[in-house]
Amino acid sequence: MLSKKMEAALNEQIKVEADSSQVYLSMASWAEIKGLEGIAQFMYKHSDEERAHMLKLVKYVNERGGHAKISALKDPKTEFGTFQKMFEELYQHEIFVSNSINELVHVSLGEKDYATHNFLQWYVAEQIEEEALARSILDKIKLIGNDKGGLYLFDRDIQQINVESAASPNMGM
Ligand code: FEO
């Protein structure tokens, strides 16, 4: 059985993951209308992944005798300026999510809830991968600079990342 404090903290994370899904969906839509097809596909997939992260938490909270609360979401931004800035925002967002997961781990230890602590290790590992992925993309973007041919290849290559999965820290890039 979850403590009230643990349940509330997990419910906060449900909101964070759902908001993340909305943020990346908004990025996908922006990229799509800018003709950045590969980037759009990458962001649609990322949005789906965040929804999966949210659902995993919902199931866990209910399984442990809590009540996963589904709440209203924040309006995400709809304009991102440049794709470079958009990926920088993605990276910063993942750092925010990592901090949020770390706080949850902290609460689980305080509550001596070792089952939840164990459950959260999946998220800890996932955040390492997501941050590494975002950093490798930003490195690639820096290499491209303002080269149009480079952007063309980047937009094409980033679709491969979707296929290969984000499981490897090198992402084939
Ligand atoms: Fe669910 Fe990208 O963190």
Side-chain angles (χ1 to χ4, degrees):
M1 187 83 183
L2 294 171
S3 70
K4 283 292 157 205
K5 188 174 177 183
M6 193 73 253
E7 182 182 356
L10 288 164
N11 267 314
E12 274 307 305
Q13 191 64 29
I14 286 172
K15 214 184 291 179
V16 167
E17 301 291 348
D19 277 327
S20 302
S21 180
Q22 289 293 91
V23 167
Y24 298 147
L25 184 58
S26 188
M27 288 179 176
S29 180
W30 180 88
E32 193 160 55
I33 62 156
K34 298 289 175 192
L36 300 164
E37 190 52 34
I39 293 173
Q41 293 310 317
F42 173 83
M43 290 298 180
Y44 279 127
K45 170 141 184 293
H46 215 323
S47 174
D48 285 347
E49 276 177 18
E50 299 303 346
R51 181 173 160 79
H53 296 172
M54 181 217 33
L55 279 175
K56 198 176 166 80
L57 281 157
V58 167
K59 301 274 184 197
Y60 179 75
V61 168
N62 290 342
E63 187 180 282
R64 293 287 318 281
H67 181 184
K69 306 260 172 60
I70 310 304
S71 51
L73 303 177
K74 281 187 270 186
D75 280 350
K77 277 172 66 169
T78 54
E79 293 296 331
F80 297 93
T82 63
F83 80 95
Q84 290 96 329
K85 282 189 191 141
M86 187 172 74
F87 276 103
E88 182 59 41
E89 279 190 39
L90 179 142
Y91 180 49
Q92 293 306 326
H93 188 80
E94 287 304 329
I95 290 174
F96 160 76
V97 175
S98 296
N99 289 338
S100 171
I101 294 290
N102 285 344
E103 274 307 308
L104 260 184
V105 172
H106 185 72
V107 173
S108 73
L109 288 175
E111 295 297 289
K112 295 192 166 65
D113 185 341
Y114 300 112
T116 299
H117 183 265
N118 188 46
F119 167 78
L120 290 172
Q121 295 315 301
W122 183 88
Y123 286 85
V124 171
E126 180 68 16
Q127 284 313 119
I128 292 171
E129 282 180 13
E130 296 220 5
E131 281 190 33
L133 172 62
R135 264 197 311 274
S136 76
I137 291 172
L138 286 178
D139 286 347
K140 192 86 171 170
I141 287 173
K142 271 188 212 124
L143 282 176
I144 299 168
N146 289 320
D147 182 61
K148 285 261 188 283
L151 171 58
Y152 173 81
L153 292 174
F154 174 79
D155 190 54
R156 191 196 64 181
D157 287 352
I158 201 160
Q159 269 174 318
Q160 301 305 317
I161 296 179
N162 299 339
V163 184
E164 284 175 17
S165 120
S168 135
N170 294 322
M171 317 313 145
M173 292 185 86

